[in-house]
Amino acid sequence: MNKGDNAWELTAAALVAIQSVPGLVILYGSMVKKKWAVNSSFMALYAFAVVLICWVLWAHEMSFGERMCPILGKPNFALGQKYLLERAKNWYIPTATYVFYQFAFAAITVILLGGSVLGRMNFYAWMSFVPLWLTFSYTIGAFNIWGSGLLQNRIIDFSGGYVIHLSSGVAGFTAAYWVGPRLSHDRQHFPPNNIIHMLGGAGFLWVGWTGFNGGSPFAANEITSLAILNTHICTATSLFVWLSMDMLVYKKSSAIGAVQGMITGLVCITPAAGIVEPWAAGLMGAMSGSIPWYTMMVLHRKSAFFQKVDDTLGAFHTHAVAGTLGGLLSGILAKPSLLKLYYTETPYGPGLFYGLIQGRLMDSLKQMGFQILGAVFVASWNVVVTSLICIFLSRFLNLRMDERDLEIGDDAAHGEEAYALWGDGERRPTHPHRRLTIPSMCRHC
C-alpha cells in the first residue's frame, strides 16, 4: 500500500461524492420551478443513498468482478473485511477505497439521468427505477469498458465520458420519452427559483471534478496533475465559448447558459483528461462550448423529435452529446506517450492526429473505430434497457404524476414546500379539498 496514493484517492472520492450531495441536490433544487424544488433535490438525495446499498450488495462486483458472460459481471458482495482491506488490482490502495470511489461515480450517473425527468416523474416510480437501472444498465457499461467485459482494453475512456455521461444522457432522454412531458405551461415557463443557489451548486460540480478526473489514475502521480489541469482548462474555455455564443446570438449573457457551458466542458474532457496535452484540452473546450450549444439552442428547437421529448435539464445535450464528442476527440488527440504512461500494460492506438504525424495511421484508425463502437454500444444498450425498465414499471406504477398533482408540485408529492412564506414554516393547504397528514413530530405547538 501507498499512504500518499490512498490519502489522495479518498480525497478524490469525497470530492466526487460532494458533487452529488450537496452539489446536484442544490443545483437541481434551485434550477427548477419553485413548486418542484423539494422533489428535485430529494430525487438526487434518494438516489445517492440507494445506489450505495446496491453497490456494496451486488453492483460493484457486477461492474468490476468476475465475468458471468461476455457482457455481464457476476453479482456478489463487496462487504468482507478481507476483501476490502486487500490491495486493489494493480494499484497501491485498499479495495475499500476503490469500492467507494467507484460508488461515487455510479451515484452521480443515476442522479445526472434524473435531471431529464424532473418536474413530473412519480417519486415511487423513481424509487424503483434507480436500483433497476443501476443493475441492468450502468454495471454493463462499466463492466465492458472498465472491467473484464467484451470491450476490455479497447476504448479510451479516462474517467467516464461513455460509461457515465453518454449513458446518463441517453438513458435520461429515453426515460423522459416514456415518462411523458411536464404540463404544457410548466414546459414553456420553467424559471429557476434561485439562481444564486444554482451557481453555488454548479461550483460544487466544477471544483468536485478535480476528484472526478484526478482520481482516475488511482495514484498521486504526474498523470493526476495533468488530468486536473486539463479539466479546468477545458471547462473554463467551454464556459467562455458558450457565453460568447449566447451574447452573439441573443445579445445577452446568461447565468444558466454559463452553467450549461461549464457542464459540457467538464463532460467533454472526462474521457481524455490525462491523455491529451493542455492545448488539446483548450481545443476540446472550444468544441464543447459550441457543438452542444448548437444542438441544444438551435437543433433542439427546430427538430420535431427533440420537441416531442421533454428533457427537463437538457441532459441529452450536456451529457450525451458532450460525452460522445469527448470520446471521439480522445481518439483524435490522445498523445502516445501519455497513453503509455497511463495504460501501462495495454497498447492503445495513438490519436489520429499523432498517427498521421508518426506514420501509424492504421493503428489510429483502428482506435478510432473502437471509440465509435463504444459510443454505439453504450447508447444502444441504454435505449433498449431503459425502455424495458420503464415499460416494466409502468405495469405496476404510474411513471408520471397525475395532472392534478402536477399543478401543485412538492406539496402533492411530499406534503412539503421549499420556502415558508408566512408563519414559522406553517403552510395553508393549497388544495382545501385534499387533507394533509402531518407526522406529530413535525407539528408546531
Side-chain angles (χ1 to χ4, degrees), residues 134 220 232 315 329 331 345 432-433:
L134 174 73
H232 294 288
L329 288 174
E345 299 178 359
H433 53 279

Side-chain angles (χ1 to χ4, degrees), residues 20-97:
S20 296
V21 180
L24 287 172
V25 170
I26 296 172
L27 184 67
Y28 283 7
S30 55
M31 205 169 184
V32 298
K33 210 169 185 176
K34 182 175 78 71
K35 70 176 184 178
W36 291 112
V38 173
N39 179 259
S40 300
S41 293
F42 193 19
M43 284 176 66
L45 182 66
Y46 167 82
F48 188 81
V50 171
V51 168
L52 178 55
I53 296 170
C54 299
W55 193 250
V56 296
L57 289 179
W58 67 81
H60 177 79
E61 285 298 294
M62 286 185 70
S63 301
F64 301 101
E66 298 177 6
R67 179 187 288 199
M68 189 164 70
C69 69
I71 64 168
L72 188 64
K74 184 178 179 181
N76 206 344
F77 298 121
L79 291 169
Q81 177 180 323
K82 182 180 178 181
Y83 171 75
L84 292 174
L85 297 185
E86 66 185 11
R87 180 180 161 188
K89 297 187 178 181
N90 298 320
W91 304 294
Y92 298 97
I93 60 173
T95 300
T97 303

Side-chain angles (χ1 to χ4, degrees), residues 38-39 41 59 134 160 223 260 276 292 364 402 417 425:
V38 173
N39 179 259
S41 293
L134 174 73
I223 289 291
Q260 301 285 26
V276 299
S364 297
D402 63 48
E417 291 181 356

Side-chain angles (χ1 to χ4, degrees), residues 210-404:
T210 299
F212 197 105
N213 289 343
S216 287
F218 299 101
N221 59 25
E222 58 268 57
I223 289 291
T224 299
S225 300
L226 179 64
I228 292 171
L229 180 61
N230 283 342
T231 296
H232 294 288
I233 290 173
C234 182
T235 305
T237 306
S238 182
L239 186 154
F240 176 76
V241 171
W242 190 294
L243 197 59
S244 300
M245 298 287 285
D246 276 348
M247 294 175 70
L248 284 171
V249 176
Y250 301 111
K251 312 303 180 186
K252 190 175 290 186
S253 58
S254 164
I256 299 173
V259 170
Q260 301 285 26
M262 177 204 82
I263 292 171
T264 56
L266 291 167
V267 170
C268 185
I269 194 61
T270 292
I275 47 92
V276 299
E277 293 189 89
W279 67 263
L283 177 61
M284 292 177 73
M287 297 185 74
S288 65
S290 54
I291 294 175
W293 181 92
Y294 176 79
T295 65
M296 177 182 279
M297 307 305 291
V298 179
L299 188 62
H300 186 101
R301 297 178 181 183
K302 290 182 177 180
S303 168
F305 173 70
F306 280 125
Q307 287 296 311
K308 183 179 179 181
V309 180
D310 182 13
D311 181 357
T312 307
L313 298 185
F316 179 83
H317 304 283
T318 56
H319 294 280
V321 173
T324 303
L325 177 64
L328 297 180
L329 288 174
S330 299
I332 296 173
L333 300 171
K335 189 175 183 179
S337 60
L338 294 174
L339 285 169
K340 187 176 181 180
L341 196 59
Y342 180 62
Y343 297 106
T344 55
E345 299 178 359
T346 307
Y348 284 87
L352 193 57
F353 174 76
Y354 294 96
L356 288 169
I357 294 174
Q358 298 177 358
R360 298 177 58 190
L361 182 59
M362 293 308 297
D363 290 340
S364 297
L365 289 174
K366 181 180 178 181
Q367 185 61 55
M368 197 66 190
F370 281 126
Q371 297 300 114
I372 295 170
L373 176 63
V376 171
F377 171 78
V378 172
S380 302
W381 184 270
N382 276 278
V383 169
V384 172
V385 173
T386 305
S387 295
L388 291 174
I389 291 171
C390 289
I391 292 169
F392 171 76
L393 289 177
S394 68
R395 298 291 184 263
F396 309 97
L397 296 163
N398 292 324
L399 296 178
R400 185 173 181 264
M401 295 170 64
D402 63 48
E403 298 287 325
R404 186 167 142 200

